Amino acid sequence: MSRPITSLPLDRRAALGLMAGAATIGMPSVVRAQTIELVAHYSMPPIFKEAQESLAEAFNRRSDKVKVGYVNPTPTYEEGAQLILRQATTGGLPDVSFQGLNRLRLFSERGIAADLKPFLAREGDVEKLGYSAPLLGLGFHGGVQCGLAFATSNPISYLNADLLRRVGQDPDRFPTHWDEVIALAARIYALGDGNEGMFFRWPGDDWMFSALLYGHGGRMLTPDETKVAFDGPEGLAALKLLDRMVKEGKMPNFGASATSTADLQAFGAGKLGAMFRTTAQVRQVSGMVGRNFELRTTTLPVIDPVKGRLPTGGAGVMLVAKNPARQAAAWEFMKFVTSAEGTAIMARNTGYVPCNQIAIDDPAHLGAFYAANPLFQAATRQVHLMIPWYAFPGQNSVRVTQIMVDNLARIAEQKASPEEVLRDMAREVARLIPRA
């Protein structure tokens, strides 16, 4: 029995794919119909492992000519982006890669992600596949359809109902404004015994900062993308709110690492009253909590009820293969994972918002699931507030993200004021964005 493709490192699998292709030359015609074994890459296995394995199993079960296997997943979106950027130079690229929605633009600009417009054109009416214009727009940059939305998210509130009740807060009436949330967090912290009131998941990337910025009605760059725009009153208000979470809400510093799980561990152990992070982890958090306490989820507290918006986080799937035969095979897999059936599998196994209009509109796909699983409903109540996670232009987009995280850490560590952080962050980011 042959060794499973999922057990091989990426460069070895790529080599086997090339060898398999070369071996068909001069062989009888029956061999030319040999199964194509695709190599796919994704990030954040604690969130995506069950979903990706379920999708691969379902796809492989129904597909005779194309099979898919995964390389070892990368821990974070940022590490996943760095892996593909590196392999675009050194070799060993997969056929398909699932990347953060804010990185699809980078891969389009570097010519790594294939333009999917010809593939979509061959499908005819793509709305019949569930690809609405807004969903396609999440993977459209600079005239290139560089990816398809696979999993979308917005930030929600995770609540320890038992701790809330201990300080007299009805979990069914969780505060909807940050002033009240911060005051509530201070009351939980005052319980002592290692209890923490709140944690706003700022580390890792700029996504949760953008939730505060967009919540105030702000934006990252000017419309022509030549100047920083977050250095105005909305950006300062966002940083001041984060500062208040630390000072008044007694928010602990769980570290700036994207892979840190200190907040998840504290929450799962029943020592954290409220946690604000992506809806993608509803399934994971629910499993961690188990029967330790009553878990609730609800929408994110309001900042500006008129102008406020939320960033659309999550992942898109992009086509990396260059060989036409492997591209065609990869397209079949991509169609499946973004189909109504595929997106329903993804949503049930994660907590992400569906990315297929048919799955969204037809209750036959997820209606019964949401009715039976109220923890998954918070994000669906915020869909009307979702706008794209901003993708910084140019070759330095990954560095821009790290600069923003490093500066946010200064507030979490109380090493700089919001004014100082805003000034420094704006100056450093301005150096890295392209000039007109």
Side-chain angles (χ1 to χ4, degrees):
M1 185 173 181
S2 63
R3 188 181 181 190
I5 192 168
T6 50
S7 69
L8 295 174
L10 181 54
D11 55 354
R12 175 65 173 148
R13 279 184 232 178
L16 285 179
L18 291 173
M19 290 167 60
T24 63
I25 299 175
M27 297 289 284
S29 58
V30 66
V31 179
R32 285 199 293 269
Q34 184 177 351
T35 299
I36 294 179
E37 293 184 325
L38 293 175
V39 177
H41 157 264
Y42 71 94
S43 296
M44 301 199 299
I47 297 176
F48 280 118
K49 185 174 186 292
E50 289 187 20
Q52 290 285 6
E53 290 182 352
S54 296
L55 286 164
E57 181 182 359
F59 176 78
N60 289 341
R61 189 169 54 244
R62 72 189 56 209
S63 175
D64 294 328
K65 297 181 180 179
V66 182
K67 303 294 181 183
V68 66
Y70 297 107
V71 296
N72 290 333
T74 39
T76 67
Y77 283 144
E78 296 308 303
E79 290 174 87
Q82 293 286 8
L83 174 71
I84 300 303
L85 290 172
R86 185 168 60 251
Q87 290 175 335
T89 301
T90 62
L93 280 169
D95 299 298
V96 170
S97 181
F98 295 81
Q99 291 286 337
L101 287 170
N102 68 324
R103 292 290 174 242
L104 294 180
R105 177 178 185 171
L106 171 65
F107 291 111
S108 174
E109 291 176 345
R110 294 201 177 187
I112 297 171
D115 190 352
L116 300 178
K117 290 199 297 289
F119 297 89
L120 290 167
R122 286 195 286 269
E123 297 293 336
D125 185 359
V126 295
E127 289 193 4
K128 291 183 179 179
L129 299 177
Y131 300 153
S132 65
L135 288 171
L136 286 174
L138 294 174
F140 189 83
H141 296 283
V144 176
Q145 189 68 51
C146 49
L148 298 176
F150 168 68
T152 58
S153 65
N154 55 60
I156 64 170
S157 307
Y158 294 83
L159 311 176
N160 180 328
D162 296 0
L163 274 181
L164 297 186
R165 292 190 184 101
R166 284 185 60 187
V167 296
Q169 178 66 51
D170 183 352
D172 292 327
R173 292 177 172 81
F174 186 72
T176 57
H177 294 277
W178 282 110
D179 289 347
E180 299 166 339
V181 171
I182 290 171
L184 173 61
R187 298 206 308 271
I188 296 173
Y189 176 81
L191 292 173
D193 192 29
N195 288 301
E196 306 284 1
M198 66 177 292
F199 187 72
F200 186 86
R201 180 69 185 180
W202 61 269
D205 53 42
D206 56 47
W207 190 60
M208 289 298 285
F209 168 69
S210 69
L212 299 181
L213 178 67
Y214 296 172
H216 284 94
R219 58 183 301 146
M220 287 292 189
L221 299 186
T222 56
D224 64 3
E225 298 189 313
T226 61
K227 297 178 182 177
V228 166
F230 63 75
D231 58 348
E234 299 88 357
L236 182 58
L239 293 177
K240 284 184 173 180
L241 180 52
L242 184 64
D243 189 56
R244 288 184 59 207
M245 292 177 187
V246 179
K247 284 189 172 77
E248 301 171 34
K250 309 300 181 183
M251 186 173 79
N253 179 19
F254 283 133
S257 169
T259 57
S260 172
T261 59
D263 57 326
L264 286 172
Q265 293 171 7
F267 190 80
K271 292 295 184 180
L272 181 58
M275 181 173 64
F276 307 95
R277 56 161 55 226
T278 174
T279 184
Q281 291 173 288
V282 169
R283 177 70 70 191
Q284 180 187 3
V285 172
S286 179
M288 293 180 67
V289 169
R291 298 184 179 181
N292 292 347
F293 58 85
E294 183 184 353
L295 172 64
R296 298 284 189 91
T297 62
T298 190
T299 54
L300 204 68
V302 173
I303 296 179
D304 187 318
V306 178
K307 297 187 297 182
R309 296 293 183 267
L310 292 174
T312 302
V317 55
M318 65 182 193
L319 177 58
V320 184
K322 304 302 181 184
N323 175 276
R326 298 190 72 81
Q327 284 187 335
W331 175 246
E332 294 304 313
F333 176 61
M334 294 171 68
K335 275 198 304 180
F336 175 73
V337 300
T338 57
S339 67
E341 179 183 354
T343 207
I345 291 173
M346 177 279 301
R348 286 194 293 266
N349 282 281
T350 58
Y352 276 107
V353 178
C355 289
N356 182 286
Q357 201 63 45
I358 297 172
I360 294 169
D361 295 339
D362 188 345
H365 291 283
L366 287 165
F369 171 76
Y370 282 125
N373 295 274
L375 292 176
F376 289 76
Q377 294 177 12
T380 64
R381 300 201 299 272
Q382 300 181 140
V383 169
H384 66 289
L385 297 174
M386 292 169 64
I387 60 174
W389 183 4
Y390 187 68
F392 283 93
Q395 304 297 302
N396 296 314
S397 59
V398 175
R399 289 179 61 195
V400 167
T401 296
Q402 190 57 51
I403 282 171
M404 300 185 83
V405 172
D406 291 345
N407 276 283
L408 294 174
R410 297 166 67 199
I411 291 180
E413 296 164 1
Q414 291 292 280
K415 292 182 176 179
S417 69
E419 290 82 1
E420 291 170 323
V421 166
L422 186 66
R423 178 198 65 207
D424 296 343
M425 188 161 66
R427 183 175 61 238
E428 293 174 53
V429 171
R431 291 195 191 108
L432 295 175
I433 58 176
R435 301 296 180 184

